[in-house]
Amino acid sequence: MVDRTIFPQPAATEQSTPPAIELLDTTVAYGAHVVLDHLTLTLPSAQIIGLIGPNGAGKTTLLKAIVGANRLLSGTIRVLGQPVQSVRQRVAYVPQRRDVDWSFPLSVLDVVLMGRYGRLGLWRRPSKRDREIALHALEQVRLSKRRDCQIGELSGGQQQRVFLARALAQEADLLLLDEPFNGIDTTTQTVIFDLLCQQRSQGHTVLLSTHDLHSVEQNCDQLVALNRRIVASGPVDEVFTAPVLRSTFGSQLAVVGDSHTLIVNK
Ligand SMILES: Nc1ncnc2c1ncn2[C@@H]1O[C@H](COP(=O)(O)OP(=O)(O)OP(=O)(O)O)[C@@H](O)[C@H]1O
Ligand SMILES: [Mg+2]
């Protein structure tokens, strides 16, 4: 009942799609260290949304909170119009590369098949169709030939793409991608953005964190600028401005020329 008061529900006759993500006065802390400080944010569905901010801004913490992996000190988060616990299978999360133990003994195809597990009943093995979907996802990220390799044998960028394939195989409505372009060359980055555009055209929403300001400006519809608080959020042309970027990155940002030539000193 509390949620109904906070997030007004559409009238029963309305067929509106709920926002992909809604945060109301959300605070997240690690012990006494407040990382996300009273965030209020609404992100529309069927968009590619970039999440930008300096190291330690709380991007990973926010993505983990959305997926229900971080306890909230205060506030509420709704995902696809519901508490995340009710829609877990509809949300795919690709962690930041450094947060993954790559030494586990699984093949590339095994990892991608993990995207199907939420749809399998207890004790059920992946079906022929599950395998087909997983293989198609590997094809989409151009890694079919590596399907039998151990995941630890791949390069950083290839591992990143395997995790993206796992998210695609999940056929989720919301994809949360934490720095998906780390270690990925620009050609492959274009391939991935094309895949994300396909996701958008199917009505799915993508929220991705990145330090690549040029590519968010080029490829995202919406931007969230975060530095422990929401500095700005909205359509890219409204948020990708020199004043917002300066407030977000402070001294980490060198502005060269106009707002289209920006360098983040990592
Ligand atoms: N598990 C944890 N325990 C304690 N502190 C943490 C933990 N995870 C993150 N932090 C702290 O929370 C703050 C935000 O970290 P977070 O990883 O969310 O930032 P980020 O924006 O993702 O940074 P980066 O760009 O380096 O990935 C940092 O000060 C970090 O040290
Ligand atoms: Mg991070």
Side-chain angles (χ1 to χ4, degrees), residues 107-158:
S107 75
V108 165
L109 183 58
D110 287 337
V111 172
V112 181
L113 272 170
M114 285 166 72
R116 304 299 300 165
Y117 284 3
R119 292 167 185 265
L120 304 178
L122 199 60
W123 309 121
R124 241 197 71 203
R125 290 167 59 82
S127 65
K128 186 165 170 260
R129 181 168 153 67
D130 290 320
R131 276 180 68 85
E132 279 167 9
I133 289 170
L135 287 170
H136 176 62
L138 267 179
E139 218 172 273
Q140 285 181 297
V141 301
R142 304 192 174 176
L143 280 175
S144 300
K145 287 186 183 148
R146 310 303 301 269
R147 60 191 244 187
D148 297 320
C149 292
Q150 294 287 299
I151 185 79
E153 291 169 15
L154 300 188
S155 73
Q158 289 170 334

Side-chain angles (χ1 to χ4, degrees), residues 21 23 26-31 33-39 41 51 53-73 77 93-96 98-99 176-179 207 209 226-230:
I21 297 165
L23 274 77
T26 299
T27 298
V28 178
Y30 297 107
H33 179 201
V34 172
V35 175
L36 301 179
D37 196 2
H38 296 280
L39 307 193
L41 180 68
L51 174 60
N55 293 130
K59 301 179 296 297
T60 297
T61 303
L62 174 58
L63 294 175
K64 285 184 179 169
I66 292 168
V67 85
N70 272 340
R71 207 171 60 80
L72 309 187
L73 199 61
I77 299 182
Y93 171 56
V94 175
Q96 204 164 348
R98 67 169 182 243
D99 287 350
L176 304 173
L177 312 177
D178 201 352
E179 300 201 22
L207 175 61
S209 78
L226 178 76
N227 195 346
R228 297 186 50 244
R229 296 165 185 243
I230 303 294

Side-chain angles (χ1 to χ4, degrees), residues 155-253:
S155 73
Q158 289 170 334
Q159 290 171 337
Q160 201 73 32
R161 280 147 65 196
V162 173
F163 265 54
L164 179 63
R166 184 183 71 164
L168 295 175
Q170 189 177 331
E171 297 180 318
D173 294 304
L174 172 63
L175 283 86
L176 304 173
L177 312 177
D178 201 352
E179 300 201 22
F181 303 118
N182 244 357
I184 288 199
D185 60 69
T186 46
T187 313
T188 313
Q189 189 166 325
T190 307
V191 171
I192 292 177
F193 263 116
D194 287 347
L195 290 173
L196 299 183
C197 289
Q198 278 176 34
Q199 291 287 310
R200 178 182 57 193
S201 66
Q202 291 163 17
H204 301 166
T205 308
V206 178
L207 175 61
L208 62 92
S209 78
T210 181
H211 287 278
D212 185 342
L213 295 185
H214 180 69
S215 101
V216 285
E217 192 206 9
Q218 296 293 309
N219 297 297
C220 292
D221 308 307
Q222 301 262 327
L223 269 191
V224 177
L226 178 76
N227 195 346
R228 297 186 50 244
R229 296 165 185 243
I230 303 294
V231 179
S233 133
V236 169
D237 55 351
E238 288 174 19
V239 175
F240 198 86
T241 63
V244 168
L245 294 168
R246 268 194 217 100
S247 302
T248 310
F249 291 95
S251 60
Q252 282 193 30
L253 185 77

